[in-house]
Amino acid sequence: MVNLKEILGKFPLFSSLDRKAIEEFSQLAVLQQVKKDEIIYRENDPADNFYLVISGRIKTYTKSSLKEGRALEYLYRGTCFGIISLLTDEPHSVTAQAVNDSVLVAVEKDKFDKFLKKYPSLALELSKILSRRVKKREDKGKNIFESSIIGVYSLKSKIGKTTYSLSLAQALNIEAKRKTIVVEVKKNFKNFYFPQKGKPLNIQKFKEANLVKFLDNSLGFDYLKLNYQFDTQGERRLIPVFLTFLTQSYNFIILDLPSELDSLVALCLNQADFLHFLILASLKMSDFVKELNFLCRDYRIAIEKIKIILKEDNIHPQIKFTQDCPVFATLPVFKENKFLELFKEYPKNPYLKSIRRIAREISSVRVGLALGSGAAYGLAHIGVFKALEENNVNIDIVSGSSMGSIIAGLWGLGMDWVQMRELALKFKDFPIFSFLDIGFSGKSFLKGHYLKRILKKIFGDKRFYDLKRPIRIVCFDFKKRKPYVLSRENFSLYRAILASCSIPGIFAPVENKEDLLLDGGVLNPLPVGCLIKEGIKKIISVNVSPSGKDIEKMYREQKIKKLNIFDFIFGSIEAMQQEFIQEAISLSDIVIHPKFENMLWTDFKNVDYFIAKGEEETLKHLNDICQLEGS
């Protein structure tokens, strides 16, 4: 049975509500299962319900867009719809139709209205969505966009700010397939990146009808040079008008802003939904903090919308700010004067790979992979990566519990399946009891010294800010009795993964300040929930735990002959995990569940067998995976 309260609590939309409010909302809601191609409501139908996508995909379109063969929008897990009509009391402006079998939450209009009056914080969240989504143009009628303004700013010039802006636009255009424009803003016509591309538009002469004359689309997206001269009140007054007009036509507006901060630049920063703040790795931390405080205090830039983009340089490429200030993304070094050649290398170039990940995150098209717990069974995760890599399927973020956290960590460090296999072989020559070293400590039966040594040898002193790809390591917080997700903390990978692998009673918990962290599989044997909280709308989960029927069959055929205390502990935990696994499966778009014949959870010596089984099962789902990635 689906626990609606727990599911709703994982969606960012409800982050402002406490558990009591979420429980009240769940009591108002009903689950609706809709079949592929089923119409949920039609254009001009009266408003009836608030809708939220739990699983599956929904597309919206109008009669005119349908004639053109295009959808206005694709809606994924965690996206609400129908709210425009609910809040305006107007008929639906679009038709909503299921792309595949989907599960929705629906709340009747009257009940939803009463709930909003009682909990205005949810109304505020919805108003933010509406401000981005509803756009109207006189010449085209009503369209729906998720329109975002991204300001790109740096403390100094010539550190690659415009290259970043253009590369991000290219990635958004390719990955999200959404209309994007880069607006390069300069004062007094100075130093535009492409002097030969198009004529600069003077903000004082901005007119909607004439904008097209200033656009250049030779790069595959629109590029506009915008000039201002005196930072006057008249110029500043036109900036919101100009940006509002752009939001009617573009999903993403990237403002490439001058480093010289004046009132007009500050206004652009305030008008932006997000600020991508580029800094060099060699910058002194004190200088950065001083400038950041200056922006937030004197120009009232909201700290929560600032995304720090760390650009490595040849002076101190290893300096990281994440110990004290979280970094959104890290860009490797490249030669600025070779931008047009770089542009042709998408997405193979390391710099463009980083840009691609940023674009997929901000456009909400990321594919997440959840790697489940299962001791030796978890070696099958390597086979999953083998199948995905050899068929050019891109994964954007990986979560892992227990054995899944080890494989997630290897992926996060940039390893391919071949490198993963080589490291997995380190487990091969050691029977399970060689590292389950007896030594009752009061917190566990075993010391686990070998497990610690092998994880230390694999991950060394690497920390989360050393990762090349984003991962989430899931643990169990014993004192709080709830999941604990490690992602960007100043925490060593080795200790995070050790905590996620520390089976209660067998291994001692890992201490993190006042917290005691244990095996993530206790509450999250298939860690889908943390991906949902990250806003991931396309989720593939890999469940390596054998089903009850599989276990029963092994006993019946006497494949399991001799049991020990660890079998009882592991087997009991595995049985209790089944309900959590089923809930995670219900929230996944695709579930990969390899079958293992006559293999036990302790069979670490059979590395290649498990890899082959993971690959085999993944290939069965390959068409669905490719369709999910490209949708």
Side-chain angles (χ1 to χ4, degrees), residues 68 72 144 165 175 214 216 263 370 385 475 580 618:
E68 297 171 7
L72 293 176
I144 295 179
S165 300
E175 301 297 332
F214 298 92
D216 180 276
S263 297
F385 280 113
C475 306
F580 297 125
T618 304

Side-chain angles (χ1 to χ4, degrees), residues 376-470:
Y377 299 138
L379 295 169
H381 296 316
I382 301 173
V384 174
F385 280 113
K386 181 177 187 291
L388 297 177
E389 289 170 15
E390 291 180 350
N391 288 279
N392 299 313
V393 176
N394 292 295
I395 298 297
D396 298 288
I397 184 171
V398 173
S399 62
S401 277
S402 198
M403 188 65 188
S405 72
I406 297 177
I407 308 304
L410 299 179
W411 179 84
L413 289 172
M415 296 185 189
D416 59 24
W417 80 269
V418 175
Q419 294 168 306
M420 293 179 190
R421 176 185 176 276
E422 289 176 359
L423 289 172
L425 291 174
K426 292 183 182 297
F427 288 99
K428 186 173 182 179
D429 297 327
F430 294 89
I432 190 70
F433 291 106
S434 69
F435 63 88
L436 293 184
D437 43 339
I438 304 298
F440 184 73
S441 66
K443 293 181 180 178
S444 64
F445 286 116
L446 310 163
K447 297 176 182 178
H449 287 324
Y450 176 73
L451 180 61
K452 293 176 184 177
R453 285 198 301 271
I454 198 169
L455 291 179
K456 182 72 173 177
K457 188 173 183 180
I458 290 173
F459 295 101
D461 296 324
K462 299 289 187 182
R463 294 180 176 268
F464 279 93
Y465 52 72
D466 293 305
L467 292 170
K468 297 179 180 179
R469 299 163 176 161

Side-chain angles (χ1 to χ4, degrees), residues 187-206:
K187 189 175 183 179
N188 296 325
F189 299 96
K190 289 183 179 179
N191 302 319
F192 281 105
Y193 194 84
F194 291 120
Q196 74 281 11
K197 287 186 181 291
K199 180 182 177 183
L201 168 65
N202 194 323
I203 187 62
Q204 291 180 317
K205 297 181 179 180
F206 164 66

Side-chain angles (χ1 to χ4, degrees), residues 74 177 209 230 270 276 298-299 320 328 386 412 450 488 537 546 548 628:
Y74 284 91
K177 299 177 178 62
F230 305 109
N270 272 297
H276 288 200
D298 291 23
Y299 287 95
K320 306 291 181 180
F328 182 65
K386 181 177 187 291
Y450 176 73
R488 293 187 175 97
K537 296 178 171 62
L628 180 70

Side-chain angles (χ1 to χ4, degrees), residues 89 483 566 609:
D89 273 331
F566 304 114
Y609 171 85

